[in-house]
Structures are given as C-alpha cells and as structure tokens.
Amino acid sequence: MTDVHAVLLPVGPDLYAVPIDRVKEVVAAPILTRLVTAPPHVLGLFNLRGQIAPLLDTAALLGLPGAGPTAFALVLQSRQGPIGLSATAFPHRAILGASIGPSELPGTAGTYRVEHGVAVLLDPDVLLAADRLGRAPGREIIVSSGAGG
C-alpha cells in the first residue's frame, strides 16, 4: 500500500484522518445557526462565503460520546455540496504509512500510527452516506443558498 496523504482531525483526545483529496478547507470557529429539528449529529449550519453548509458532530457520526466544543470545521466536498466535520483542535496534514490494524467504528477504513499516537482513517463516502445520516438517497441535508450577491 502506498502512503496516504491526509488531514488529521482532532476530536477530543482522539485523532481521525481524512484523505487530503477529499478536504476542501479548514474553517476556524464557524458561527453556527442551530436547527431545532435537526438530528443529533447536525450541530447547525454555517456560512461558507455565501454557501450554506451543515456542520456535523464527528464524534456522533462515529457513535462516540461528545468530544467538546467545536474549534474548527474540516470542510469536505460531497455530492450534496460542502459539509463540515467538527474538530476540537486545529486539523493538520500528515502522511499515513501502512495500516497497523482495522477499526471497528462505522465509516472508518483502518488504524495508522502517526506522530505521537494513532489515527483512525475515515471513509467519507461511508461516513456521509445518506442511510447513515437519516435522509433519503439523493436528498440533500440542506438547500444551498441560490441568492446572488
């Protein structure tokens, strides 16, 4: 297996990795609009230069307890448009070598040794699949702003 270029996503004391080709950008302290009727994994919506994007609770998507306040959003490009994953500290680049084992968490693709610890590689296609997010296939989480200006 070749090295995987990734962005490490801190979620509480744990590290998760997202393949770098899936990452659009990192947003510091996104200002959220909460949605009263949203499922628990949707923290709210934020404005990404005029485009509305949902911010998802990374820990909740993985079936883990809350990890703390969102300091950053790691923005991924999906078929539905940009989607943010919550991070509790600054996401940064890393190169993942060979896998050191599997991961039992849903939406993950293995465990890797990084820097001073271990990171679990996320599979964005599985993690953000319509059936996992509680929406019908092809139905967007939100409707993007079509207003010009």
Side-chain angles (χ1 to χ4, degrees):
M1 178 181 168
T2 61
D3 291 341
V4 176
H5 291 260
V7 174
L8 296 181
L9 179 66
V11 179
D14 301 319
L15 279 178
Y16 297 91
V18 177
I20 201 162
D21 62 341
R22 298 300 300 272
V23 176
K24 184 174 178 170
E25 65 187 279
V26 174
V27 175
I31 298 171
L32 294 178
T33 298
R34 306 266 180 210
L35 301 172
V36 177
T37 60
H41 62 268
V42 177
L43 296 173
L45 304 176
F46 66 101
N47 186 329
L48 186 65
R49 289 179 307 287
Q51 192 170 15
I52 304 304
L55 180 64
L56 305 181
D57 183 338
T58 307
L61 285 175
L62 294 167
L64 302 171
T70 299
F72 294 89
L74 183 70
V75 180
L76 308 181
Q77 190 59 45
S78 75
R79 284 183 227 128
Q80 294 82 23
I83 294 178
L85 294 178
S86 64
T88 55
F90 184 70
H92 58 281
R93 291 182 67 164
I95 297 176
L96 309 179
S99 174
I100 60 172
S103 170
E104 296 179 10
L105 294 173
T108 61
T111 305
Y112 296 80
R113 185 169 287 118
V114 292
E115 299 166 0
H116 305 292
V118 173
V120 175
L121 181 62
L122 300 179
D123 181 340
D125 292 329
V126 174
L127 190 67
L128 302 175
D131 59 334
R132 292 201 70 248
L133 296 180
R135 65 186 197 280
R139 186 171 166 223
E140 295 186 18
I141 296 173
I142 60 163
V143 177
S144 296
S145 172

